[in-house]
Amino acid sequence: MVGEAFKKKPIEVTAPAERPCDYFGRKVFTREKMYKYLPKDVYEKMLEVIDGGARLDRNVADAVAAGMKQWASELGATHYTHWFQPLTEGTAEKHDSFIEHDGKGGMVEEFSGKLLVQQEPDASSFPSGGIRSTFEARGYSAWDPTSPVFVIDDTLCIPTVFISYSGESLDYKAPLLRALHAVNVAATDVCHYFDPEVKKVQSNLGWEQEYFLIDEGLYAARPDLLLTGRTLMGHDSAKNQQMDDHYFGAIPERVAAFMRDLEIQALELGIPCKTRHNEVAPNQFEVAPIFEETNLAVDHNMMLMSLMRRVARKHGFRALLHEKPFAGINGSGKHNNWSLSTDTGVLLHAPGKTAEQNLRFAVFITETLMGVWKHNGLLKASIMSATNAHRLGANEAPPAIISSFLGKQVSALLDHIETEGSGFSLDGKQGLKMDIPEIPELLIDNTDRNRTSPFAFTGNRFEFRAVGSEANCASAMIALNSAVAEALTDFKRRVDERIAEYAKRAEFAEGTGHTAQYHAIIEVLREDIKVCKPIRFDGNGYSDEWKAEAERRGLDTETSCPRIFERYLDKESVEMFTKLGVMSLKELEARNEVKWETYTKKIQIEARVLGDLAMNHIIPVATHYQSQLLRNVESMRAVFAADRADTLSARNLKLIEEIAQRTASIETQVEALVAARKVANKIEEEHARAISYHDNIAPLFEGIRRQIDKLEMIVDDASWPLPKYREMLFLR
Ligand code: ADP
Ligand code: MG
């Protein structure tokens, strides 16, 4: 079987005859298509809805639906679906056909504005954390016109939010849209200090998706991969990533064919894929698009993940999106490159030519840090999951402490503002002059990087690196954009108070209000630079010293996944989310119930699979091999004198004993695991049960695995029931 995997040939992928720019977005109802398929007045209304957040009235919706249907039918669509992102990490869809009775005994194809705008899927089996009990199953999905509809196969997909009948969000998109709105409002206000013309601020996201590919035949022979997404056992391959020869190496042919296919399909769906390369671990790869507006980027990432799973199957692979499918080699993350931009340009861009631009840059960097500092525990909660827990703090990916790396120049800039008051000269009408020679270099120097930092500034954006490969980016983006929105709002309030105060003073007399404003901004900025200093860390995030230091600095150093989720219910978090209108207390509580329940289920499934494999696969095979050895020892005794026979059988006798000890140890440990599960399962409360699973069950896996991995090295290779690491990890 392993040999077969190596013999497979790449699947032919025929690229469309046109160039990528011609087929880009072919399956998306873009503005261009709206213009073509909608009456002019309807098209203009749609633009008001998309760009200006205007409401859509019903008759316009009917006209939009008609145009959409016509376009989708031309692509072969016969069905439509409201496509949404429930709290299960994946996406959900229920397909309905366009056909309706025509009232004369026949059928017509129909798609009304009503069906486009709102639906009531039977939502009883999506996690809701108790907001909606099963018998009161009404939740509805509502169209998000800011993310364009698209066609997959024969189905028109309509991005929607998913909301309970009583108005609480049951998905990721609804709170994300609210957080994006909040950061827009807060950031636009602050921008007005520098440029009154700014109309809106947009949050951007460029994700980098890491994943593993393995041959589907080998995958099918690993029940642990199949059921949990990761290998629960498996001895290290003698060679893995120590040679660093996979990173940026040549892409194997079969994989290259898969990537081409994936990219073509992604581009057709309007996902602007740009980069592909090998990652650090064997069989690990990355795909990254050009960054986009955050809501759209999140949808595109969800689309790409499901597309990737499909295309992989077509090529005889399985795509593994789990954060840690294999022990001992790197896991997979999803860097979230985040920035803010105005309708006039990127906000976090390295300083520009004027003092205003430089000061604005410093303000946005500092207030981002303020948000991240104040809510560092919450941000960690936003990226934490049972699966990402394997990555964080495991000496490879970001540590389980959120900190920010700024690089030399930006650090120098903030230090300068903090300490050297004289660096700023208040210079009449010209406003402020900043005497910081290092700043222009920032544009050039991109090598100043720290790979261990979970939240690093990289030139014109922050890179939130702790996000898990399998996660919905929305979770991190909700927390981050909210935290920054809160910090900016707070900043604005304090600056305004200060301006009012300064305006009364003689040195800021009438006519120099401008100067009072700059003075106020710098004063508040200086305070904030001091306050958020603990979040700045440029050293080695993996070291033990950092852990101790972070504790001294008051940063969150908790590592237990279910306890980290508690941060969502901290006073500061609840206050922030409710004040900004992102999530209510009820929603936050319900979501945490879902998080704890999901955590418990994941560990529970792993525990069961591990126990089953140990008892049904490993012990029988090891015992069988042991019997072979015993027969050999007996035969030796039949041929040789007892003493001589035992000398010759010394190794086998040792192995026989070792197998006996190891299988016995596995058995006792599996019994302990079952017993611990029984205890935990009796706990009613989700929070306490998750903690029990974390504290009492998950830690038992390692001991069982260790014994199994040792047996893997002893037992005859031909009879070992599971594909080994060295077989799974080296695609050719
Ligand atoms: P890395 O060196 O981190 O691997 P990549 O080039 O692979 O960098 O990915 C960088 C990602 O950051 C891309 O998705 C890119 O579009 C995105 N990006 C670049 N500039 C910005 C920005 N201003 N805001 C958000 N994302 C950005
Ligand atoms: Mg990156």
Side-chain angles (χ1 to χ4, degrees):
M1 183 182 52
V2 172
E4 291 306 305
F6 284 147
K7 272 188 260 160
K8 282 189 187 160
K9 292 262 175 302
I11 300 215
E12 287 286 333
V13 179
T14 10
E18 314 98 299
R19 306 289 309 151
C21 13
D22 299 320
Y23 58 81
F24 177 72
R26 187 203 316 253
K27 301 206 166 158
V28 186
F29 198 54
T30 54
R31 285 170 194 235
E32 203 184 317
K33 277 157 213 152
M34 283 182 206
Y35 185 74
K36 189 169 159 205
Y37 285 85
L38 304 180
K40 193 157 180 297
D41 56 325
V42 174
Y43 169 73
E44 273 159 15
K45 276 266 160 52
M46 266 309 286
L47 292 196
E48 280 170 31
V49 171
I50 296 172
D51 297 329
R55 281 209 180 276
L56 188 82
D57 52 59
R58 274 287 146 94
N59 41 357
V60 177
D62 277 334
V64 176
M68 248 179 212
K69 187 186 143 276
Q70 192 197 338
W71 165 76
S73 305
E74 285 170 20
L75 285 175
T78 50
H79 287 64
Y80 66 93
T81 181
H82 273 201
W83 179 84
F84 57 98
Q85 300 167 23
L87 301 173
T88 46
E89 299 293 331
T91 54
E93 46 204 79
K94 172 177 150 247
H95 298 199
D96 285 307
S97 142
F98 287 130
I99 55 170
E100 291 288 347
H101 286 296
D102 66 356
K104 302 182 199 93
M107 287 288 193
V108 283
E109 284 206 350
E110 218 178 66
F111 185 52
S112 65
K114 194 164 148 272
L115 294 175
L116 165 67
V117 172
Q118 191 169 322
Q119 295 250 309
E120 282 190 27
D122 173 17
S124 52
S125 46
F126 291 110
S128 70
I131 278 183
R132 204 177 10 63
S133 48
T134 341
F135 54 87
E136 211 269 280
R138 283 203 288 181
Y140 62 90
S141 52
W143 180 33
D144 163 23
T146 59
S147 180
V149 303
F150 52 94
V151 168
I152 290 187
D153 298 334
D154 59 0
T155 304
L156 170 67
C157 303
I158 303 155
T160 58
V161 294
F162 182 42
I163 293 176
S164 82
Y165 204 62
S166 42
E168 285 87 12
S169 63
L170 298 170
D171 70 345
Y172 283 106
K173 194 189 255 288
L176 176 66
L177 289 172
R178 295 184 202 135
L180 296 175
H181 174 72
V183 82
N184 171 17
V185 172
T188 306
D189 271 354
V190 171
C191 279
H192 285 164
Y193 286 136
F194 308 97
D195 178 1
E197 297 302 311
V198 169
K199 288 186 194 63
K200 78 177 199 187
V201 173
Q202 168 178 305
S203 159
N204 303 304
L205 166 63
W207 41 263
E208 301 162 56
Q209 177 74 51
E210 292 179 341
Y211 61 97
F212 281 87
L213 284 179
I214 80 160
D215 185 84
E216 67 176 359
L218 303 177
Y219 173 83
R222 292 282 316 210
D224 47 357
L225 269 182
L226 206 93
L227 298 174
T228 72
R230 72 175 179 116
T231 53
L232 297 170
M233 55 194 67
H235 198 282
D236 280 353
S237 168
K239 173 179 189 279
N240 50 47
Q241 65 188 45
Q242 51 301 54
M243 309 290 288
D244 283 332
D245 50 359
H246 191 252
Y247 193 54
F248 284 8
I251 298 172
E253 235 183 298
R254 259 179 87 197
V255 177
F258 156 81
M259 286 178 170
R260 259 197 306 284
D261 207 356
L262 176 67
E263 275 166 27
I264 293 167
Q265 297 193 43
L267 287 167
E268 285 185 334
L269 283 169
I271 308 170
C273 290
K274 184 164 169 75
T275 311
R276 55 163 117 136
H277 59 75
N278 285 4
E279 264 302 328
V280 176
N283 278 16
Q284 195 187 28
F285 308 95
E286 178 185 297
V287 52
I290 300 170
F291 71 93
E292 301 175 282
E293 184 278 322
T294 297
N295 176 41
L296 186 61
V298 168
D299 284 356
H300 280 170
N301 182 245
M302 298 308 285
M303 285 155 71
L304 184 101
M305 288 196 287
S306 55
L307 194 59
M308 184 181 266
R309 290 192 170 102
R310 258 171 61 140
V311 177
R313 282 176 181 228
K314 177 173 150 197
H315 288 259
F317 294 126
R318 284 307 158 107
L320 306 180
L321 292 171
H322 191 291
E323 282 80 4
K324 193 77 182 172
F326 304 100
I329 57 173
N330 274 20
S332 301
K334 176 151 55 198
H335 294 179
N336 276 205
N337 294 272
W338 170 90
S339 69
L340 295 174
S341 58
T342 68
D343 41 326
T344 53
V346 178
L347 264 180
L348 296 174
H349 214 292
K353 291 189 190 71
T354 68
E356 276 91 349
Q357 283 168 339
N358 289 338
L359 186 57
R360 186 177 80 175
F361 172 77
V363 166
F364 276 90
I365 292 286
T366 305
E367 294 314 312
T368 301
L369 294 180
M370 279 296 277
V372 174
W373 165 73
K374 184 170 172 199
H375 296 286
N376 70 88
L378 174 70
L379 282 163
K380 187 163 69 182
S382 78
I383 49 95
M384 191 38 102
S385 67
T387 51
N388 203 22
H390 290 284
R391 221 177 125 238
L392 299 172
N395 259 19
E396 49 153 299
I401 302 166
I402 301 294
S403 66
S404 184
F405 169 81
L406 293 179
K408 268 207 226 70
Q409 287 105 335
V410 181
S411 296
L413 167 67
L414 297 194
D415 292 346
H416 189 97
I417 297 175
E418 182 192 344
T419 51
E420 311 270 324
S422 59
F424 301 96
S425 58
L426 294 167
D427 188 20
K429 282 196 196 74
Q430 276 187 310
L432 171 113
K433 266 198 192 135
M434 218 184 283
D435 152 38
I436 305 165
E438 299 94 319
I439 287 179
E441 286 167 38
L442 203 72
L443 284 169
I444 312 155
D445 188 2
N446 237 334
T447 54
D448 190 9
R449 291 192 151 202
N450 180 331
R451 289 272 163 205
T452 75
S453 179
F455 194 76
F457 182 71
T458 48
N460 58 356
R461 61 192 189 266
F462 280 96
E463 200 170 330
F464 195 6
R465 300 200 180 115
V467 184
S469 48
E470 203 173 24
N472 185 329
C473 303
S475 178
M477 288 297 109
I478 293 166
L480 177 60
N481 285 289
S482 300
V484 174
E486 186 194 47
L488 288 167
T489 311
D490 213 40
F491 174 79
K492 168 95 168 53
R493 183 184 47 75
R494 287 175 297 143
V495 170
D496 284 350
E497 281 167 14
R498 210 69 60 103
I499 293 173
E501 190 186 306
Y502 292 165
K504 290 181 207 142
R505 289 208 217 142
E507 67 257 47
F508 301 114
E510 202 151 336
T512 55
H514 196 54
T515 327
Q517 173 176 307
Y518 275 120
H519 197 69
I521 290 174
I522 286 166
E523 284 305 303
V524 176
L525 187 59
R526 213 174 261 157
E527 287 166 18
D528 287 355
I529 291 173
K530 279 200 192 84
V531 171
C532 70
K533 223 172 188 175
I535 201 74
R536 281 162 60 189
F537 178 64
D538 289 3
N540 176 9
Y542 299 159
S543 67
D544 288 337
E545 297 81 66
W546 169 231
K547 205 173 165 235
E549 166 67 16
E551 249 157 53
R552 273 195 297 279
R553 293 189 188 187
L555 299 177
D556 191 303
T557 58
E558 178 63 63
T559 56
S560 148
C561 174
R563 286 188 179 85
I564 287 171
F565 291 153
E566 293 165 14
R567 300 287 73 75
Y568 272 101
L569 298 175
D570 283 351
K571 189 170 143 281
E572 300 79 37
S573 309
V574 175
E575 212 172 84
M576 172 185 82
F577 283 130
T578 52
K579 215 167 48 191
L580 298 172
V582 173
M583 283 185 274
S584 66
L585 176 61
K586 190 171 167 195
E587 285 171 309
L588 287 164
E589 282 172 345
R591 278 161 183 266
N592 260 25
E593 293 291 297
V594 175
K595 284 182 205 298
W596 285 315
E597 190 187 338
T598 308
Y599 178 85
T600 297
K601 282 184 180 157
K602 289 212 165 155
I603 305 296
Q604 192 175 54
I605 293 169
E606 288 190 348
R608 286 194 186 137
V609 173
L610 180 59
D612 289 355
L613 280 178
M615 302 307 289
N616 304 330
H617 285 60
I618 307 302
I619 292 191
V621 168
T623 313
H624 185 74
Y625 181 59
Q626 189 188 38
S627 311
Q628 277 178 321
L629 296 176
L630 279 164
R631 275 198 298 279
N632 181 279
V633 171
E634 276 170 19
S635 311
M636 286 292 202
R637 284 188 182 153
V639 175
F640 296 101
D643 275 7
R644 180 74 184 132
D646 284 357
T647 313
L648 291 173
S649 297
R651 178 170 181 274
N652 284 353
L653 285 165
K654 212 175 113 239
L655 287 182
I656 289 164
E657 264 190 52
E658 187 175 340
I659 292 174
Q661 279 157 5
R662 295 202 186 279
T663 49
S665 160
I666 290 175
E667 197 157 1
T668 346
Q669 292 187 70
V670 170
E671 275 162 16
L673 185 65
V674 174
R677 241 164 54 213
K678 280 195 181 134
V679 173
N681 290 343
K682 288 215 180 72
I683 303 173
E684 291 270 323
E685 209 220 336
E686 293 294 356
H687 174 242
R689 186 162 60 219
I691 290 195
S692 178
Y693 264 87
H694 175 273
D695 292 356
N696 308 322
I697 292 157
L700 302 180
F701 295 178
E702 199 44 48
I704 301 173
R705 176 183 188 138
R706 197 175 317 122
Q707 297 300 338
I708 295 177
D709 290 356
K710 290 279 188 212
L711 285 173
E712 187 186 314
M713 299 312 275
I714 299 173
V715 171
D716 174 20
D717 183 58
S719 58
W720 192 252
L722 303 172
K724 296 182 174 178
Y725 271 30
R726 64 161 191 270
E727 294 159 347
M728 289 187 285
L729 279 174
F730 295 93
L731 282 171
R732 276 181 243 169

